[in-house]
Amino acid sequence: MKFLFDLFPIILFFVAYKFAGIFAATAVAIAATIGQIAWVWFRHRKVDTMLWVSLAIVTIFGGATLIFQNPTFIKWKPTVLYWFFAVALLFSAHVLKKNLIRTMLEAQLKLPEHLWQTVNLAWAGFFALMGVLNIFIAYNFSEDTWVNFKLFGGMGLMLVFVLAQGMLLSRYIEEEPK
């Protein structure tokens, strides 16, 4: 359910694009992200940092798209977000000496330190590659193809990456004692 909730702005962007075009879809994405944060705040009285970052990026790039009536800005939004994630993972690991992937997953997984570093690096590489792929598609294919990729391609690649990583790490998942 959380996965669908996280995709809420992207799904609404996609639907709005199909019915009303890129500018309406951009406005819907901004509004949906604001609504998402309001809902999380109402339910938990706390909003994750990544959701605030996503709001800032969609508001800046979406706002520029609407103000300048230029869809190039919103096409850059996923790349900026992906690259932010990649840099955050690398910066945190190498400068702050804190592995963010480990922080999120260590309750479910017990991994050797070198494997935590590898997983963190793999995620950083995945996000960096996704940013490059988004820009490649945005500049070399139609806007319609880019919108379809944004929802289906991005989600599909993320699913494949998570499943592949899950299979590799499954031997480290601790079973609950019965």
Side-chain angles (χ1 to χ4, degrees):
M1 196 65 173
K2 183 180 178 337
F3 180 69
L4 286 177
F5 182 74
D6 290 344
L7 290 177
F8 178 68
I10 296 169
I11 292 168
L12 290 180
F13 175 88
F14 178 80
V15 171
Y17 174 80
K18 295 301 180 181
F19 287 102
I22 193 76
F23 300 114
T26 300
V28 165
I30 294 168
T33 306
I34 291 169
Q36 190 179 41
I37 285 180
W39 177 255
V40 169
W41 176 254
F42 175 75
R43 298 273 299 174
H44 306 288
R45 295 288 184 237
K46 182 178 184 283
V47 177
D48 291 337
T49 302
M50 290 305 187
L51 199 50
W52 285 115
V53 168
S54 182
L55 175 64
I57 292 172
V58 77
T59 302
I60 291 167
F61 285 85
T65 293
L66 296 175
I67 290 167
F68 298 112
Q69 292 291 292
N70 183 344
T72 300
F73 294 104
I74 199 64
K75 290 178 181 179
W76 268 92
K77 181 255 173 198
T79 292
V80 170
L81 190 59
Y82 288 138
W83 287 350
F84 174 84
F85 290 159
V87 168
L89 289 170
L90 294 173
F91 179 83
S92 182
H94 297 291
V95 176
L96 303 177
K97 304 297 184 204
K98 181 172 180 158
N99 187 316
L100 294 179
I101 298 296
R102 180 181 191 159
T103 302
M104 290 186 291
L105 297 177
E106 69 183 338
Q108 292 84 21
L109 291 170
K110 301 295 182 225
L111 301 178
E113 184 57 37
H114 76 279
L115 203 48
W116 279 120
Q117 292 171 5
T118 301
V119 170
N120 194 69
L121 189 58
W123 274 100
F126 174 76
F127 285 130
L129 185 62
M130 286 296 291
V132 170
L133 188 55
N134 178 70
I135 287 302
F136 177 79
I137 291 170
Y139 281 101
N140 292 290
F141 294 91
S142 70
E143 184 175 274
D144 198 52
T145 299
W146 174 77
V147 169
N148 288 328
F149 172 76
K150 183 175 168 35
L151 178 62
F152 301 112
M155 188 170 35
L157 289 170
M158 178 77 73
L159 182 61
V160 167
F161 182 75
V162 167
L163 288 174
Q165 200 167 63
M167 289 187 327
L168 290 170
L169 299 176
S170 64
R171 64 181 152 198
Y172 296 100
I173 296 175
E174 290 188 0
E175 297 281 331
E176 290 287 323
K178 294 186 182 196

